[in-house]
Amino acid sequence: MNPVRGQGITARSWASYAAGSVKVDATTRWNDLVDGSSPDRPDKGTIDPEVAVTLSRILRSHTRTPTDCYFLVWEGYAGLRADVLTAARVELPLARWMFVLTGDLRDGIETVGESVGGRTAQWWLPADGAWAVGNDLYGASVYVSGSAELIEGILAADDIEAYRATASMVIVAEEFEP
């Protein structure tokens, strides 16, 4: 989960923000925790920079191609860097065109916008296909697929909030505002 951020608060987990009022798990949407009027919220359509750093560290040992990765960025975001705007594009479902960047896994933590602290790439894929990381352009959560060992490593990380998703869960990637 991208951490909750807001004016005057440090980054918080969804579970601590909910303070027991809602059971937080892989199916929880941000709107399950708030009525829409809260100024506090997780980032949407990006992988939070702190989450990206942790994922990059964990993912590196779970691919044979950490220096050969693909990163996808939605073409509709304003303020993208010039090198992003000239990258190849691919169409994903729902007619979402994405710019395709390539590089080392650590490049996934870099901002794709012209301003510091902006968005990171939404999708990360190593060339060997060992795992996939994704975040919908309206999504406040980040999804990772990979080996059982990789998922256990993510769940064990104490610096990010993560929950196991299963095939029987109804997961809604998009967090539309009420």
Side-chain angles (χ1 to χ4, degrees):
M1 310 293 224
N2 279 332
V4 179
R5 298 189 185 277
Q7 294 181 348
I9 68 166
T10 58
R12 295 175 62 187
S13 70
W14 290 32
S16 69
Y17 193 86
S21 65
V22 173
K23 179 184 182 280
V24 178
D25 64 17
T27 65
T28 304
R29 296 185 333 197
W30 179 243
N31 291 334
D32 295 338
L33 305 184
V34 297
D35 63 8
S37 63
S38 173
D40 306 329
R41 59 189 355 88
D43 287 334
K44 292 182 184 178
T46 188
I47 300 172
D48 180 88
E50 293 173 15
V51 172
V53 167
T54 297
L55 287 177
S56 178
R57 176 180 45 81
I58 295 169
L59 293 166
R60 183 164 288 283
S61 64
H62 294 275
T63 176
R64 293 181 318 277
T65 58
T67 60
D68 188 12
C69 294
Y70 301 94
F71 304 98
L72 280 63
V73 179
W74 183 53
E75 73 171 0
Y77 287 134
L80 294 173
R81 294 186 327 241
D83 65 311
V84 175
L85 294 172
T86 58
R89 295 182 326 144
V90 64
E91 184 179 14
L92 296 185
L94 303 176
R96 292 193 176 144
W97 283 92
M98 309 291 281
F99 290 113
V100 181
L101 307 172
T102 59
D104 188 280
L105 176 56
R106 78 177 133 261
D107 295 334
I109 67 175
E110 298 299 322
T111 301
V112 294
E114 293 175 343
S115 62
V116 175
R119 297 183 186 282
T120 58
Q122 296 155 277
W123 290 88
W124 303 1
L125 306 156
D128 68 2
W131 43 258
V133 174
N135 171 269
D136 187 75
L137 64 111
Y138 297 109
S141 300
V142 179
Y143 298 92
V144 180
S145 67
S147 69
E149 181 183 359
L150 167 61
I151 301 306
E152 289 304 320
I154 292 169
L155 293 170
D158 59 3
D159 54 347
I160 59 173
E161 182 178 22
Y163 301 95
R164 182 183 305 280
T166 65
S168 64
M169 290 179 164
V170 177
I171 304 292
V172 179
E174 297 178 341
E175 295 275 343
F176 293 111
E177 298 293 327

